[in-house]
Amino acid sequence: MPKVPVYGGPQIERQVPNPTRMQTPDVSSGLQAVARGLGEVSEGFDKIALRDDQTKAFETEAQITQEWLKWDSQARQQFRGANVDGYEAAAQQWWKDSAETYGKDLNPRAKALASRGLMGKQNQALGNVLQFTATEKERHADEAANANIASTIQFGVTSGEVASAADQVRGLVAAQGARKGWTTEQVQDATQRNLSNLHVAHLAKLAESNAEAAQTYFTQNRGEISFAQQSKIEEAIKGEADNQFSRKFAADVAAKPLSEQLAEAGKITDPQRRDKALREVKVNYALVKEAEYQAQQKVADTVWTQYVDKGRRVPEILRGAMGEANLRELINFERAERLAPGAQVKTNPSVLASVYDLMRDDPAEFKKLRMVALTNHIAPNDIEQIA
């Protein structure tokens, strides 16, 4: 309760401060704020560094991925067939070298980030390499087996040992089927296809020299020849048989007059064979006549250059071998030579006209014309104009 002050005594009551009301100044809250600020700054720098590391990691991952795709595309062309065994080792070495080449400038965190994405790609890439290697080995094995079968067929056809080649083909196809796990039907189909190729190749060679023998072979082996090809093969053998018959027929009757040759060819009952025989007779006759003409022209050149131009007498054997047209030309020349000295030859208008017609219509034949043969029918001044 309140006290009354005493005179001469203390006027103010001293009191001990209430400890509950005394407080020490709090300086820690400011330090914590500073710490929080510094932490936020540090966290910001970490985010920037992480962003930069991620960027470098992503760039490196993209670059390595693109380089791998490029390398792998080229490698699949290089490591083919017998070379495919080196593909896997080369791919593994590529990934090892790439990690060293492209990761040397990255810090540990960037390397870790890049490796995280590249690890999956590397595993997938090497898996694809193994798959390609297995597929390529199988393809190469098939290629080698098929090439062996093809060469066996070619050797059999070339050597004539077709039966032996057929047995070898059967064995080779059976071995290929066992390796690939073919069914019985698949082995039979492959055997039929390859045997058909063997028989067709042999028939093509045989028909060129002996179509009748080819027909016999076809009949004997028809069951092993593709049904789709049989009609074309029969047609080809028949056509070649007609060609061979026609050539022999034309040669046999070549000594006869053309009318008799054509008459005998017309008696052939097979229409296709008859047409070919008639055509062969005409072609053969034309070739014979052309050969005769060339021989006669050669003799005629000898007569004019070696005998007439030198004033020598032409032997009867050469006169008989120079051909009717050339002999007529020679006779006309000789007749002109026998004209009396000083006799004037008058131009025959019809002969001159025929010469001009020849000059206009057939220049090549006109060049072959000997002007000396015209001296008995055309006056010298006219000959000079057309020479």
Side-chain angles (χ1 to χ4, degrees):
M1 60 183 298
K3 292 182 178 181
V4 177
V6 178
Y7 180 81
Q11 299 299 307
I12 298 175
E13 181 181 11
R14 293 185 180 184
Q15 294 181 348
V16 179
N18 188 349
T20 61
R21 294 184 180 179
M22 296 178 62
Q23 293 182 354
T24 302
D26 187 4
V27 296
S28 64
S29 61
L31 294 175
Q32 290 175 356
V34 171
R36 283 197 302 272
L38 292 175
E40 291 175 357
V41 171
S42 177
E43 184 179 354
F45 280 118
D46 285 342
K47 288 182 179 180
I48 293 174
L50 176 61
R51 180 199 62 193
D52 293 343
D53 289 343
Q54 286 177 333
T55 300
K56 291 179 180 180
F58 293 157
E59 289 176 345
T60 301
E61 180 180 349
Q63 187 175 11
I64 290 177
T65 302
Q66 290 298 323
E67 290 298 322
W68 163 256
L69 293 174
K70 181 180 178 181
W71 181 90
D72 190 48
S73 177
Q74 296 174 348
R76 292 196 176 199
Q77 298 302 318
Q78 176 185 354
F79 295 104
R80 297 183 66 85
N83 298 324
V84 73
D85 285 331
Y87 182 32
E88 181 183 359
Q92 291 178 344
Q93 186 64 43
W94 187 93
W95 281 101
K96 179 180 178 182
D97 294 342
S98 296
E100 296 175 357
T101 301
Y102 296 103
K104 62 183 179 180
D105 296 329
L106 299 180
N107 60 43
R109 183 168 61 180
K111 285 184 180 180
L113 291 171
S115 297
R116 188 183 306 168
L118 286 171
M119 185 61 67
K121 291 182 178 178
Q122 179 179 351
N123 292 336
Q124 184 177 357
L126 293 177
N128 291 337
V129 168
L130 292 176
Q131 183 179 2
F132 176 85
T133 300
T135 302
E136 181 61 17
K137 283 185 175 182
E138 184 68 15
R139 186 200 66 79
H140 180 58
D142 289 343
E143 186 179 70
N146 292 332
N148 191 20
I149 293 172
S151 62
T152 300
I153 291 174
Q154 184 178 6
F155 182 82
V157 172
T158 303
S159 64
E161 298 294 332
V162 182
S164 176
D167 290 338
Q168 294 179 53
V169 166
R170 293 186 183 95
L172 292 172
V173 173
Q176 185 180 21
R179 174 176 59 81
K180 297 181 69 65
W182 284 350
T183 64
T184 302
E185 290 75 14
Q186 288 176 310
V187 173
Q188 290 175 346
D189 289 344
T191 302
Q192 172 76 18
R193 182 173 62 255
N194 285 287
L195 288 178
S196 179
N197 292 338
L198 170 64
H199 295 312
V200 171
H202 180 61
L203 282 169
K205 179 183 177 182
L206 185 60
E208 292 179 356
S209 58
N210 191 336
E212 292 183 2
Q215 182 60 55
T216 301
Y217 183 88
F218 174 75
T219 302
Q220 294 173 345
N221 297 276
R222 188 185 193 116
E224 293 183 338
I225 297 176
S226 170
F227 180 78
Q229 293 181 287
Q230 289 183 10
S231 59
K232 292 182 179 180
I233 293 173
E234 282 189 296
E235 184 179 348
I237 293 175
K238 171 64 167 56
E240 188 56 35
D242 290 345
N243 292 336
Q244 293 173 11
F245 172 85
S246 300
R247 288 193 291 268
K248 185 177 184 303
F249 176 85
D252 292 341
V253 299
K256 298 180 180 181
L258 179 60
S259 58
E260 294 184 19
Q261 295 183 46
L262 296 176
E264 290 194 28
K267 296 177 183 179
I268 300 173
T269 55
D270 187 310
Q272 295 177 336
R273 180 165 291 191
R274 180 176 61 247
D275 291 342
K276 289 187 175 182
L278 287 170
R279 184 165 56 251
E280 193 68 28
V281 163
K282 294 176 182 178
V283 170
N284 191 54
Y285 182 81
L287 292 174
V288 170
K289 288 302 178 182
E290 177 63 21
E292 290 179 354
Y293 174 77
Q294 295 295 336
Q296 292 170 357
Q297 289 301 112
K298 185 175 181 180
V299 173
D301 290 341
T302 301
V303 167
W304 287 100
T305 58
Q306 300 299 320
Y307 291 90
V308 177
D309 292 347
K310 296 181 179 181
R312 299 167 58 192
R313 182 178 176 276
V314 180
E316 289 299 322
I317 190 172
L318 294 180
R319 296 172 72 92
M322 63 189 304
E324 183 178 351
N326 292 324
L327 179 59
R328 189 163 50 247
E329 181 182 356
L330 177 63
I331 292 173
N332 290 335
F333 174 77
E334 291 173 340
R335 185 178 299 160
E337 287 288 299
R338 289 195 297 270
L339 288 175
Q344 296 294 324
V345 177
K346 294 183 178 180
T347 298
N348 185 327
S350 61
V351 174
L352 182 61
S354 65
V355 171
Y356 277 115
D357 290 341
L358 184 65
M359 182 191 303
R360 181 188 67 245
D361 300 332
D362 196 346
E365 285 297 319
F366 174 78
K367 291 180 179 180
K368 299 178 182 178
L369 188 64
R370 296 184 181 277
M371 294 299 149
V372 293
L374 302 175
T375 56
N376 198 33
H377 305 283
I378 300 176
N381 59 333
D382 291 330
I383 289 179
E384 290 178 359
Q385 293 181 6
I386 62 177

